[in-house]
Amino acid sequence: MEVEDLSIPFKHALVPPVSSQAQFASWVGVSDDTVRGWVENRTLPTVKIGRQRFICLKTYLQEVESGKTIFNSGDYK
């Protein structure tokens, strides 16, 4: 019997438009401090909501989908 591939392509998955820094850190497998540094250095696209900065997943995923593999300090000033 052949097993059908039921995986969902990433671009069709339901993903919220923003993520907390802690959620993003868990998602990519790094520490909260690492993500905080990326946010402070403008390595990741962010949006400020109230007094907190959230990772803009919409922009991040569009960049990855378009082929971006390296995120550098200052990319999102």
Side-chain angles (χ1 to χ4, degrees):
M1 174 170 38
E2 193 171 318
V3 177
E4 182 180 348
D5 181 12
L6 299 176
S7 62
I8 298 171
F10 193 72
K11 66 181 182 178
H12 297 294
L14 295 176
V15 178
V18 297
S19 169
S20 71
Q21 293 179 34
Q23 288 172 327
F24 188 80
S26 175
W27 185 47
V28 298
V30 298
S31 72
D32 293 358
D33 290 336
T34 298
V35 173
R36 189 175 307 111
W38 291 343
V39 168
E40 291 173 1
N41 292 331
R42 306 288 190 207
T43 303
L44 293 172
T46 62
V47 61
K48 191 169 185 179
I49 301 174
R51 294 169 58 181
Q52 294 183 332
R53 287 220 163 260
F54 291 83
I55 310 303
C56 183
L57 290 179
K58 180 180 177 185
T59 302
Y60 175 79
L61 293 174
Q62 286 174 339
E63 295 275 8
V64 169
E65 196 171 82
S66 70
K68 185 173 178 89
T69 58
I70 299 173
F71 290 78
N72 295 308
S73 179
D75 277 356
Y76 297 96
K77 282 197 173 184

